[in-house]
Amino acid sequence: MSISMQAMPSDERAFSLVANGKLLSGAPNRLGYLTPTDPGIGVGAIRRLYEENGYVWLKGFLPRKEVIDFRGWVFGHLAKTGLIAEGTDPRDGIASAAAPEGRDVDRCLMSLVRSVAYEGFCAQPRISRFMDEFLSGISYLHKRKIMRHVRPGTMTVTPAHYDLVYLRGGTSRIVTAWIPIGDIPIEMGGLTYLEGSHAIGVGMEREFNEKNEDLSPEERVSAFNRNMTEGGWVSKDLPDMAERFNTRWLVADYEAGDVMIHSPFMIHASTTNQDQGQRLRLSTDIRYQNVEDEIDARWNNHWTLGDML
């Protein structure tokens, strides 16, 4: 069964959410809250919720202290670039007042995602055992894994999309795990999901395949082909999407230790980091599949900035 949240987010915070300059509070019936799930209910019940809702929010799935310690390890290295305020604990992830040189940050980040420590965090035993059972076989973790940090007060957000757009070279039986590396309350702009949109994504993908029969195999799998919107996004206008599909964007107060899993057809996005404490948002999104299924060869390489995926 799902579990109730200990504290319901206040409307004041939820109704000030912004993405791409658009306020998500256009109508109260267009914004709601994700439902957390107790991982102890078992994989069978979790799979049923996943198929029904397109996502499962596994509450407290990982040891909180280990996640926060890993956050400190990441920001401890990034502090050398000037990203973290001097004299603060890297685990807090307090952004420096001045933005550091982007090339230095990017270079450090590309080193971190290639590290043994990061690989170990993504492939820790509880996750790998869960994925084996969830995928009914031996799970495979894609080599291309993404770790994102977002400074407060910037316009950096992820527009609405579904993941299969970037994974069309392999099986559609992909499972994305999005892991907040530290607490990410609503105002920090973690992932927001369009309620019921896994069915919408399936329809969009079917329509795409029907319209693109004349494309070469290489162009068909690209999120940047001539029949796609910019960057493979579904939309940058989140309020319009909720109206257009007569549904809601679902938000949450995520905590260190939580794990979100979602369908490759589930439409999701992020919102602006408006944290008043100047905390950086840190998360990772990684993909698993059954090793027996076809694997998109493009995801057999480490994440590189500008790799067009």
Side-chain angles (χ1 to χ4, degrees):
M1 68 166 71
S2 296
I3 57 177
S4 60
M5 299 182 68
Q6 292 182 350
M8 204 63 157
S10 71
D11 287 348
E12 182 179 351
R13 290 186 302 138
F15 290 133
S16 66
L17 290 177
V18 176
N20 292 298
K22 302 277 188 176
L23 197 63
L24 269 65
S25 62
N29 63 334
R30 296 302 180 212
L31 198 63
Y33 302 100
L34 292 164
T35 302
T37 294
D38 179 355
I41 65 174
V43 172
I46 290 171
R47 190 183 293 113
R48 288 190 291 274
L49 286 172
Y50 177 88
E51 292 170 355
E52 178 182 352
N53 300 319
Y55 78 89
V56 181
W57 174 12
L58 298 170
K59 202 80 184 76
F61 186 83
L62 300 174
R64 176 178 174 82
K65 182 180 183 303
E66 292 181 16
V67 175
I68 292 175
D69 286 347
F70 182 69
R71 176 181 171 88
W73 181 84
V74 171
F75 283 142
H77 284 279
L78 285 169
K80 302 168 188 175
T81 70
L83 183 68
I84 303 298
E86 289 188 14
T88 62
D89 188 333
R91 291 175 297 182
D92 294 332
I94 307 299
S96 59
E101 172 59 51
R103 286 173 297 181
D104 293 340
V105 176
D106 292 346
R107 191 179 302 112
C108 182
L109 187 61
M110 291 300 97
S111 296
L112 295 179
V113 298
R114 287 158 173 75
S115 68
V116 172
Y118 177 57
E119 180 74 23
F121 180 80
C122 297
Q124 52 190 287
R126 186 166 193 200
I127 297 178
S128 60
R129 287 195 297 266
F130 171 83
M131 285 297 173
D132 283 352
E133 191 172 353
F134 189 81
L135 292 164
S136 302
I138 299 173
S139 58
Y140 171 79
L141 171 62
H142 288 193
K143 187 173 183 178
R144 184 179 186 273
K145 300 181 288 294
I146 303 170
M147 185 161 55
R148 306 179 193 274
H149 68 283
V150 179
R151 288 176 60 89
T154 67
M155 296 299 290
T156 302
V157 297
T158 301
H161 68 286
Y162 60 94
D163 290 344
L164 194 64
V165 167
Y166 309 98
L167 289 142
R168 287 183 174 134
T171 180
S172 63
R173 297 203 308 162
I174 300 289
V175 176
T176 293
W178 180 79
I179 306 174
I181 305 176
D183 296 338
I184 303 181
I186 287 174
E187 58 269 23
M188 287 183 74
L191 284 195
T192 177
Y193 291 87
L194 192 64
E195 189 173 29
S197 62
H198 51 308
I200 297 171
V202 168
M204 288 182 170
E205 191 65 12
R206 184 186 307 113
E207 182 179 354
F208 170 83
N209 289 328
E210 292 171 354
K211 289 183 176 179
N212 293 278
E213 292 180 350
D214 62 327
L215 297 181
S216 67
E218 292 78 14
E219 193 174 11
R220 190 179 301 119
V221 301
S222 172
F224 298 85
N225 70 52
R226 64 178 181 269
N227 294 326
M228 292 293 294
T229 57
E230 176 192 357
W233 311 123
V234 174
S235 176
K236 291 184 177 180
D237 191 334
L238 272 57
D240 175 72
M241 284 195 70
E243 291 291 337
R244 184 167 20 130
F245 294 108
N246 190 28
T247 187
R248 306 182 297 171
W249 286 102
L250 305 178
V251 297
D253 276 324
Y254 300 105
E255 296 179 297
D258 294 350
V259 174
M260 287 293 304
I261 59 173
H262 65 250
S263 159
F265 298 103
M266 189 73 178
I267 296 174
H268 55 285
S270 68
T271 60
T272 302
N273 181 356
Q274 302 180 77
D275 184 67
Q276 296 300 306
Q278 296 303 301
R279 289 174 298 169
L280 287 142
R281 184 173 83 228
L282 183 66
S283 63
T284 185
D285 46 293
I286 51 184
R287 278 86 192 172
Y288 296 85
Q289 66 175 80
N290 190 308
V291 73
E292 300 294 333
D293 291 341
E294 184 177 6
I295 297 169
D296 190 325
R298 300 171 300 169
W299 287 69
N300 282 333
N301 301 301
H302 284 297
W303 173 43
T304 301
L305 294 172
D307 64 8
M308 304 295 283
L309 285 173

